[in-house]
Amino acid sequence: MISSNSPTSNSPIYLDHAATTRCDPKVVDAMLPYFTEMFGNAGSRNHQFGWQAEDGIEIAREHAAKLIGAQAKEVIFTSGSTESNNLAIKGAAEIYARAAAGQTGRGHIITAAHEHKAVLDPIRRLMREGFDATFIQPPADGVITAEMVKAALRPDTILVSIMWANNELGTINEVPQIGRLCHEKEVIFHTDATQWVGKMPTNVEADQIDLLSWSGHKMYGPKGVGGLYVRRRKPRVRLEALQDGGGQERGMRSGTQNVSGIVGFGKACELCFNEMESEGKRLLAMRDRLETELKKRIEVTVVNGHPTKRLPNISNISFGFVEGESLMMGVREIACSSGSACTSASLEPSYVLKSLGIGDDLAHSSLRLSLGRWTTEAEIDSAIVMIETAVNHLRRLSPLYDLHKEGVDLSKIVWQAH
Ligand SMILES: *Cc1c(COP(=O)(O)O)cnc(C)c1O
């Protein structure tokens, strides 16, 4: 029985589950036989080795489908959410471009400015190939509503891609309402549900989703395997394949299937289905305590994103009057993410935080803390103290914090350039 994420007692506290999760030992156990005794190619139709591999894949497909309220046939296995997003967006754009024929351009796509790069970059590529796109600017709380999508719709809109929950903020978009809107307007709707599936109940039928991406390694499964839900009726969604070959996965994803990975993905889906409700409650209680304590102990602490329309396991918090890089150094006993992304030489604030209108200073000094299956209360207690200590230490060195304490309104100061 594993009581903590830490492989050894002096390794950092793991609060970066939105980046990746440890594989559940039950997942590893389920996978192992498929590397050795049951090593067959699922495409080998003439012998037992092939049948065993195919059985393993089809059982996994049942578990994957059950987790999202789909039919097994509607699940395509991929290498993860990046591939699922690419296949969904480019594959749908290629097919449905024809529906927009006669209009100027190849068709219009709607997404949001704070989506994951694995959605934004495929859409940017499509724009270079003649498609048009609208990137909805999120409001300060980060939540994309059906009203915002409605306002962006055009007669030539062919595809809407809005993520279910944001990976940096944990904020939850109005996906069921957007699904209904898209079906009403007969526009294909894709959602990147990587952070959502496995943590929150999902039903693609009730919520009228056409395409949904999710990934094994974000939900206690292995890396390099994921799923794409492709609706088969009302409407029957078609996709242009991105790679050609043996015609596996209904022809949408050729290539010998990653049998052990898919089996592990299926097991991870089964475990999430069973454990998600109790796990969610447990994580929410710990996450709320983490935020409450940090806000109580440290002044000028801001929780970014909508206060309640958020996943139970992610917290994005900014601390005023500390410098981002020093903060990360100060909390190096916690494995977490920061609001700064190191791009080449410069330290760029996160484009997600910037899109919410959060200033560069607060974006730089933000931490994304994400909890998971083996996070303990003792770890949360330690993390609270470590962050409090680090922030206090940095503020003692900050002339700006001194001014703030003296009651100077820093926003009114005009800085003199030398
Ligand atoms: C992690 C993540 C991805 C990428 O998933 P991979 O399986 O690592 O390719 C895409 N979208 C979101 C929202 C993510 O959190």
Side-chain angles (χ1 to χ4, degrees), residues 18 79-82 85 116 118 163 165 167 192 194-195 215 217-218:
S79 65
S81 278
T82 300
N85 288 344
H116 194 276
M163 71 201 317
N167 48 297
D192 175 351
T194 313
Q195 297 288 345
S215 181
H217 76 100
K218 302 288 175 80

Side-chain angles (χ1 to χ4, degrees), residues 114-129:
H114 61 338
E115 290 278 322
H116 194 276
K117 286 273 163 69
V119 165
L120 296 176
D121 284 352
I123 293 173
R124 289 193 187 112
R125 184 180 295 276
L126 289 169
M127 290 170 79
R128 293 196 293 275
E129 292 169 3

Side-chain angles (χ1 to χ4, degrees), residues 25-303:
K26 294 189 188 99
V27 167
V28 178
D29 286 345
M31 291 172 72
L32 286 176
Y34 288 90
F35 289 100
T36 50
E37 299 96 73
M38 299 195 277
F39 63 90
N41 184 328
S44 301
R45 293 281 151 78
N46 304 315
H47 53 70
Q48 186 189 330
F49 297 92
W51 304 330
Q52 279 174 336
E54 194 187 8
D55 284 351
I57 288 178
E58 294 316 315
I59 291 167
R61 207 184 300 279
E62 297 281 345
H63 287 306
K66 187 174 171 192
L67 183 61
I68 61 166
Q71 302 292 317
K73 278 184 193 161
E74 297 174 305
V75 174
I76 301 296
F77 291 120
T78 67
S79 65
S81 278
T82 300
E83 186 187 342
S84 295
N85 288 344
N86 272 271
L87 177 54
I89 292 166
K90 294 175 187 165
E94 278 310 319
I95 297 270
Y96 295 94
R98 291 171 209 155
Q103 319 258 358
T104 51
R106 300 186 69 196
H108 174 242
I109 301 166
I110 297 171
T111 188
H114 61 338
E115 290 278 322
H116 194 276
K117 286 273 163 69
V119 165
L120 296 176
D121 284 352
I123 293 173
R124 289 193 187 112
R125 184 180 295 276
L126 289 169
M127 290 170 79
R128 293 196 293 275
E129 292 169 3
F131 290 87
D132 205 1
T134 298
F135 299 84
I136 298 173
Q137 215 50 53
D141 66 13
V143 175
I144 301 294
T145 66
E147 277 306 311
M148 295 172 198
V149 174
K150 194 171 183 180
L153 279 171
R154 302 194 326 207
D156 63 339
T157 304
I158 54 169
L159 175 69
V160 171
S161 181
I162 297 291
M163 71 201 317
W164 210 319
N166 185 278
N167 48 297
E168 284 192 33
L169 302 159
T171 46
I172 298 167
N173 294 323
E174 282 189 357
V175 161
Q177 293 87 334
I178 297 170
R180 241 166 280 146
L181 170 71
C182 288
H183 271 194
E184 219 176 274
K185 305 288 180 188
E186 299 185 6
V187 172
I188 299 293
F189 177 45
H190 166 251
T191 185
D192 175 351
T194 313
Q195 297 288 345
W196 172 273
V197 170
K199 283 142 205 155
M200 303 295 274
T202 308
N203 192 307
V204 289
E205 211 46 67
D207 295 337
Q208 303 187 34
I209 291 155
D210 295 319
L211 296 159
L212 175 146
S213 307
W214 83 113
S215 181
H217 76 100
K218 302 288 175 80
M219 37 167 281
Y220 315 103
K223 293 174 182 57
V225 58
L228 176 64
Y229 161 76
V230 184
R231 176 174 286 279
R232 268 172 73 91
R233 46 188 294 275
K234 292 185 179 176
R236 183 182 180 88
V237 175
R238 290 179 309 132
L239 296 179
E240 189 69 42
L242 299 183
Q243 57 191 39
D244 304 308
Q248 289 91 344
E249 300 296 309
R250 287 170 54 205
M252 286 189 240
R253 208 278 187 172
S254 282
T256 300
Q257 284 111 328
N258 171 8
V259 183
S260 54
I262 290 170
V263 167
F265 181 71
K267 188 70 190 178
C269 289
E270 183 191 2
L271 294 174
C272 283
F273 187 85
N274 295 332
E275 292 176 27
M276 135 171 81
E277 201 184 329
S278 57
E279 200 162 278
K281 283 187 189 138
R282 199 178 68 84
L283 298 184
L284 182 63
M286 284 197 285
R287 200 275 312 270
D288 283 350
R289 201 159 61 81
L290 174 70
E291 288 182 354
T292 307
E293 281 300 312
L294 290 176
K295 282 193 288 192
K296 196 172 82 189
R297 293 171 186 221
I298 310 171
E299 64 164 334
V300 204
T301 293
V302 187
V303 176

